[in-house]
Amino acid sequence: MENARRTTLADVARAAGTTVPTVSKVLGGRSDVSAGTRTRVMRVVAELGYRGRAGRAVPPDAGRPPFVDLVLSGIEGTWANRALSGVERAAADAGVEVVVSVTRPPDDAWLTRLLARRLRGAVLALVDTTPDQLATLAAARMPVVLLDPVRQPPGTVPSVGAANWAGGRAAAEHLLALGHRRLGVLAGQRTHLYSQARVDGFRSAVTQAGLDLADDRVVHTDWRRAPSRARAAELLRGADGPTAVFACSDAIALGVYDAAAELGLRIPQDLSVVGFDDLPEAEWATPALTTVHQPIAEMGGAALRMLLRLGTDQPPEAPREELATRLVVRGSTAAAP
């Protein structure tokens, strides 16, 4: 039986309708390629499963400390600061330097910049990567680790996250123990993996308690405070509104606080609120927010250490590390009215 022939750069160039030098430019992060050609090459790389030759990645210059890139979906808020602090601390311990990049969807210029740098690898934090982008990084033999992946990563891509399902379940168990039976959830974007897991964990405890969490009691929003206020107000209005709400992030929970104030609801006397993340904002709120602690800095450190263990040939089944969450009880939850 003949062995399957290895996909070559020429195969990619032929399928993409371009030349071998142009494909090499795309995988090398060169900017002198049109956006349409780059997109076409990336798609073909994914379809054909092309991987560059071993040793293709250029090592750092002798005597120069290697660099890793931390790619963030945004730098606003304290989540990014905590992730950066964890990555930087672990990098300092390992003697490597950190470069920070920010994505600006739908532009994927961050990917071109990443490929153009002489890097040991990259940690992608909350970055909504496409299959084509991941395939391009693999083809260029750029090791990556996903930190809190937005979508379910392929089995070949390493990742580090939090125990989101268990955290959602802990939030429900706390509210149920306080006697709440009219429950609501203000979730993040429907397609985001960690939002789905938190809602599923919450729902599992509610169902086990013999209760029903109706679909109209789960409202989706984005992760910002201001839009969450309007969505929370929709959920809370009415005489039979929930007496307790689980918000899938602390920023969303603060939107619930704003909506409650607008509707004349007191926290926690009329409405109990549980968040998720345990950012500094949770303690600054009035009353202080009961929330699920997510070890963000520790996750960043774990992602960096995982990255440094990788070579340019990532294993067929990539590692997945999940760090524990825990409930932190503060003043925003009380017995059901």
Side-chain angles (χ1 to χ4, degrees):
M1 183 176 179
E2 295 185 1
N3 292 329
R5 187 175 69 86
R6 182 187 180 94
T7 302
T8 66
L9 275 178
D11 296 328
V12 175
R14 190 178 306 111
T18 187
T19 65
V20 169
T22 298
V23 175
S24 294
K25 286 181 180 180
V26 171
L27 298 182
R30 292 274 295 274
S31 58
D32 53 341
V33 180
S34 71
T37 298
R38 186 171 64 249
T39 299
R40 192 164 64 251
V41 169
M42 289 169 58
R43 185 175 63 249
V44 171
V45 162
E47 290 172 352
L48 298 184
Y50 171 76
R51 291 292 300 270
R53 292 183 180 278
R56 183 174 179 274
V58 179
D61 296 336
R64 181 182 176 186
F67 285 82
V68 297
D69 201 313
L70 171 62
V71 184
L72 293 160
S73 61
I75 56 175
E76 299 82 7
T78 49
W79 194 101
N81 293 334
R82 286 192 170 179
L84 174 58
S85 69
V87 169
E88 192 280 329
R89 191 177 302 118
D93 290 343
V96 299
E97 302 290 336
V98 179
V99 178
V100 177
S101 300
V102 179
T103 65
R104 293 176 174 83
D107 182 8
D108 64 357
W110 65 269
L111 179 62
T112 299
R113 292 194 300 270
L114 197 66
L115 294 172
R117 291 173 179 154
R118 298 156 69 91
L119 296 170
R120 183 134 170 204
V123 174
L124 311 183
L126 293 181
V127 177
D128 192 2
T129 51
T130 67
D132 290 356
Q133 290 169 341
L134 291 174
T136 302
L137 290 165
R141 293 192 172 271
M142 173 71 71
V144 298
V145 172
L146 303 182
L147 174 55
D148 231 3
V150 176
R151 303 177 192 273
Q152 183 65 44
T156 56
V157 180
S159 62
V160 173
N164 291 298
W165 189 92
R169 184 176 176 90
E173 289 173 342
H174 174 63
L175 295 173
L176 291 167
L178 290 172
H180 292 279
R181 296 297 179 265
R182 300 203 321 262
L183 302 167
V185 176
L186 207 63
Q189 290 173 242
R190 195 181 299 271
T191 58
H192 287 184
L193 182 65
Y194 36 84
S195 181
Q196 294 171 357
R198 293 168 195 177
V199 174
D200 289 347
F202 188 90
R203 190 186 296 275
S204 73
V206 173
T207 301
Q208 189 172 344
L211 302 174
D212 178 48
L213 184 64
D215 288 343
D216 62 359
R217 294 288 189 176
V218 180
V219 175
H220 292 269
T221 182
D222 71 14
W223 299 96
R224 294 173 298 159
R225 178 174 182 168
S228 299
R229 173 179 182 168
R231 297 294 282 154
E234 295 173 16
L235 180 65
L236 296 174
R237 283 193 180 96
D240 63 342
T243 61
V245 170
F246 170 48
C248 284
S249 76
D250 290 348
I252 293 175
L254 295 178
V256 177
Y257 273 50
D258 296 338
E262 179 183 312
L263 297 172
L265 298 173
R266 300 166 300 163
I267 299 174
Q269 294 91 337
D270 305 316
L271 177 70
S272 286
V273 182
V274 178
F276 200 110
D277 284 330
D278 195 22
L279 299 176
E281 295 91 322
E283 290 189 83
W284 301 339
T286 304
L289 178 65
T290 294
T291 189
V292 177
H293 176 80
Q294 182 176 202
I296 301 165
E298 292 86 347
M299 289 159 56
L304 191 282
R305 289 188 292 272
M306 182 182 289
L307 178 68
L308 296 181
R309 292 194 297 268
L310 298 174
T312 56
D313 279 312
Q314 296 184 0
E317 292 189 10
R320 159 75 180 175
E321 190 170 339
E322 188 174 275
L323 277 64
T325 53
R326 60 183 173 82
L327 184 73
V328 179
V329 179
R330 298 193 180 102
S332 67
T333 51

